[in-house]
Amino acid sequence: MNLEAVGMLPQSMVAALLGAVALLLAVWLDRLLGEPPARAHPVVWMGQVLRWWGERLAPLSPRSADWKCFWAAALVWCALAAMVFVIFWGLQWAALQLHWVLAAALMALLLKPLFAWRMLCDEVLAVEDALARSLPEGRERLSRLVSRDVAQLDALQVRESAIESLAENLNDSVVAPLFWFALLGLPGAALYRFANTADAMWGYPGMRGGRYWQWAGKWAARADDVLSWLPARITALLLALSARGLPLRTLARQARKTPSPNSGWPMAAMSMALGVRLAKPGVYVLNSKGRKAGPLDTRRAEKLVSTVVMALVPLAAVVHCLVVVATGA
């Protein structure tokens, strides 16, 4: 692609191709460099703002039917989400005004922090490595990935939790952000990461961190459920295809065993693909007839995730091109 050829293409086609190239560059940057420093990470910034607001919205003690708190938190969420969308729309618009090489590079740099493939795989494999040294080390490393109490988990439960986290975050950290990028560009990916971060920080049904989130976090939790609904099922389908096919009716039945309307889909697909049992004590058991997960299953799961991502990226690039050209954006 030379500058003269680019100048002869319709503006929507140029934008579509730049978005596709930026996506490919962003994935390459992810594998090469991983995450940017925290001080330059937009998702970290989102978390800092959400923490500040959460401390002012969520009460210190339980309250019943606190609709005032609910609507205040919903209003703040919507205002912050709109700001994130507009900021990234402006950044995308500014990038597209540049020479196509600079435009693609800048968009890739802006997109990269909005998904995390390398970090996800590295963190899950680090749990397995720590578990090989000792159970306390495995628990400590797992605590960086999950919100549940890990103090009483045995070695098998630590491994199961790590594999579950890998499957769930394959959707939250990779598939869903790229899905929304394919449809809405940088603003879509940024909006999703904001919603997912808000759910992670606010979306609890009771006390957490000394505050009561039942009403302050309800909107954030439901918004994340809506934005993750289709990507979670796409993630499960991609896992099923990468495993050379899984019975979809069984997959759907297993996915519905979890309290979440979305996370059960990739977790059930992963458990069936590996042929292992995955469980959260007292909450659910997935693929109950599967064998116990062993050390090699964590690495098999990581390879399966990488296969899914490598299949997803060209698909997302094509969808992005089709959407941009069809809408003339």
Side-chain angles (χ1 to χ4, degrees), residues 239-299:
L239 282 167
L241 292 174
S242 298
R244 302 182 187 276
L246 297 173
L248 297 184
R249 288 186 179 179
T250 304
L251 172 58
R253 186 166 58 252
Q254 292 291 318
R256 296 189 186 102
K257 292 184 177 182
T258 63
S260 167
N262 297 320
S263 63
W265 286 85
M267 291 193 300
M270 181 66 81
S271 68
M272 293 172 63
L274 298 176
V276 301
R277 173 186 181 274
L278 298 177
K280 184 175 183 179
V283 182
Y284 59 79
V285 177
L286 300 175
N287 196 25
S288 59
K289 295 182 180 179
R291 56 183 172 78
K292 294 181 179 179
L296 291 180
D297 288 312
T298 307
R299 304 189 187 282

Side-chain angles (χ1 to χ4, degrees), residues 105-172:
L106 179 56
M107 287 182 64
L109 289 172
L110 291 168
L111 175 60
K112 164 59 214 81
L114 302 178
F115 71 95
W117 172 25
R118 174 177 166 175
M119 183 183 73
L120 171 62
C121 292
D122 287 350
E123 286 295 319
V124 171
L125 292 177
V127 173
E128 188 62 55
D129 291 340
L131 191 59
R133 293 190 293 271
S134 71
L135 177 56
E137 285 190 58
R139 289 170 174 164
E140 190 280 328
R141 193 75 193 196
L142 178 66
S143 67
R144 305 184 190 186
L145 281 175
V146 301
S147 58
R148 72 181 69 173
D149 182 9
V150 302
Q152 303 303 317
L153 299 183
D154 60 27
L156 175 60
Q157 291 169 336
V158 168
R159 181 173 295 116
E160 289 179 348
S161 297
I163 294 173
E164 288 174 354
S165 181
L166 178 62
E168 182 178 2
N169 283 291
L170 171 60
N171 176 67
D172 294 351

Side-chain angles (χ1 to χ4, degrees), residues 178-189:
L178 297 187
F179 170 85
W180 287 107
F181 174 81
L183 295 185
L184 299 174
L186 283 175

